[in-house]
Amino acid sequence: MVTVSPSKSEASASWAYALQLPHDPLAPRIARTTLRAVLSGHGLPHIADTAELLTSELVTNAYRHSTGPATLRLRALPGARLRVSVWDANPHIPPPFDRHASPLPSIPTGADGGRGLFLVCHYADAWGGYPLGDDLFGQSGKLLWCELGPHPADGAAVA
């Protein structure tokens, strides 16, 4: 009997992690710490700073705008890229992730918040969100995601 397994390079380029986060103000910090460990372990420290900012903003949004737990998922994509997604129980897709919403309100200069998801859209290579209806397991809410990876200016090869 012949056994086929992926080569070491194929296996290391194909991974995903999920982290269940309680509705707790420490959730963004725990998500950042976990993200740094995952990226370091998979040889992607060069995208850690940007990934940490984007992950923190997505998890903070879930904490501030939902009343229950959230799930962070980190997934490797081809070309040393990363997809970060965060699920929470609130089905409302916030601007700017809701591309069908009315024009965005301006944020007052002295405001303490309201810029996080705009940062995600600015620094991510791709981003989006979609509502999740009730499914077989009673899950609903929304999923916000973003993707990032190395750029030629980072000194990393892009596939």
Side-chain angles (χ1 to χ4, degrees), residues 11 18 24 31 36 73 76 81 111 113 115 126 136-138 159:
D24 185 299
R36 282 213 175 258
R73 183 172 165 93
R81 299 181 52 72
R115 295 177 188 84
L136 180 63
F137 303 105

Side-chain angles (χ1 to χ4, degrees), residues 5 14 18 21 28 31 35 40 45 61-62 77 97 100 104 136 138 145 154 156 159:
S5 63
S14 173
L21 297 164
L35 170 84
S40 175
N61 182 74
L77 299 174
F97 280 70
H100 304 292
L104 301 173
L136 180 63
W145 61 271
D154 294 338

Side-chain angles (χ1 to χ4, degrees), residues 107 134 148:
I107 300 168
D134 290 332
L148 68 151

Side-chain angles (χ1 to χ4, degrees), residues 41-67:
H42 286 285
L44 298 171
H46 53 281
I47 63 171
D49 290 339
T50 303
E52 185 175 345
L53 171 67
L54 304 183
T55 299
S56 186
E57 295 301 339
L58 290 175
V59 172
T60 298
N61 182 74
Y63 171 72
R64 287 188 175 168
H65 301 288
S66 70
T67 57

Side-chain angles (χ1 to χ4, degrees), residues 64-134:
R64 287 188 175 168
H65 301 288
S66 70
T67 57
T71 300
L72 168 68
R73 183 172 165 93
L74 307 171
R75 184 168 56 116
L77 299 174
R81 299 181 52 72
L82 173 70
R83 177 176 271 206
V84 176
S85 57
V86 175
W87 167 87
D88 68 59
N90 183 345
H92 172 71
I93 305 294
F97 280 70
D98 182 0
R99 297 178 185 188
H100 304 292
S102 58
L104 301 173
S106 61
I107 300 168
T109 304
D112 288 337
R115 295 177 188 84
L117 295 181
F118 292 98
L119 289 173
V120 174
C121 296
H122 179 75
Y123 288 103
D125 298 330
W127 49 269
Y130 50 90
L132 302 172
D134 290 332

